[in-house]
Amino acid sequence: IKHMALVIIFLIFLYIDPLVVFLTFESKDPTFKLLPFIFTALVALIGLINVIYAIFLLVKNDIKKLRKDMIIIKFGTIPFFILNFILLLFVSVIFVAVSRGLGIVLTPILITATYLPLLLTSSYSICYILAIRKKNEMSSKWLALHIILQLCFVLDIVGVIQLLNSIDSEGNIKNKK
């Protein structure tokens, strides 16, 4: 459980961050206006620490911990990304309508802001894939496909499910012929 603390802390801050933005949006107090930036910076920092830890686990070839952390972080962020998508879609549509189309410029910024957590949550999956490749000498096509899946919304979850169904907890390919 100790090794999962980083993942759990990241998930907690990831979920708190939008609440802080929402709760401080109308505030006139300059101190409260800084809170969203502070929380977002903390999410980024904790996310980067998780990336470093995933790389550390890859170097140690700790497939079991990578697998556990991958499961927690990928499935733990599904509600976040669903709510995030709905909220940002709503904000984008309202902003585009109110600005008579000029708000379309905001949409790529919002997509980028949502994509960055996906990259952070994919670190364990990508390191897990690399560890499996290193252990079982997987094909380059298999490696490339799964890394690309980890960089795409929704497909990252499909890729993780496929990995969990085809690789056992020891990192061995199931039904290898």
Side-chain angles (χ1 to χ4, degrees), residues 6-7 15 38 47 73 93 110 149 167:
L6 276 174
V7 173
Y15 279 96
I38 292 168
I73 205 160
V93 168
L110 294 175
L149 289 176
I167 298 169

Side-chain angles (χ1 to χ4, degrees), residues 24 32 43 52 54 76 125 139-140:
T24 59
F32 284 120
V43 169
I52 292 167
S125 305
S139 72
S140 296

Side-chain angles (χ1 to χ4, degrees), residues 6 9 14 39 41-42 44 48 59 74 91 96 106 109 111 116 147 149 152 159 169-170:
L6 276 174
I9 290 168
L14 188 66
F39 263 81
L42 282 172
L48 289 173
V59 170
K74 279 298 179 182
V91 168
V96 169
L106 177 67
I109 295 168
I111 291 170
L116 293 175
I147 289 176
L149 289 176
C152 301
S169 62
E170 300 293 323

Side-chain angles (χ1 to χ4, degrees), residues 14-73:
L14 188 66
Y15 279 96
I16 290 174
D17 189 43
L19 291 173
V20 170
V21 172
F22 178 74
L23 293 173
T24 59
F25 186 72
E26 295 283 326
S27 176
K28 304 284 187 241
D29 186 347
T31 307
F32 284 120
K33 289 288 187 189
L34 288 177
L35 279 177
F37 298 106
I38 292 168
F39 263 81
T40 302
L42 282 172
V43 169
L45 177 64
I46 296 167
L48 289 173
I49 291 169
N50 270 281
V51 170
I52 292 167
Y53 185 66
I55 294 167
F56 172 76
L57 291 175
L58 172 63
V59 170
K60 277 183 48 179
N61 206 32
D62 197 334
I63 292 173
K64 286 184 179 183
K65 285 182 182 176
L66 281 168
R67 181 183 174 98
K68 285 179 185 175
D69 290 346
M70 172 186 72
I71 291 168
I72 292 168
I73 205 160

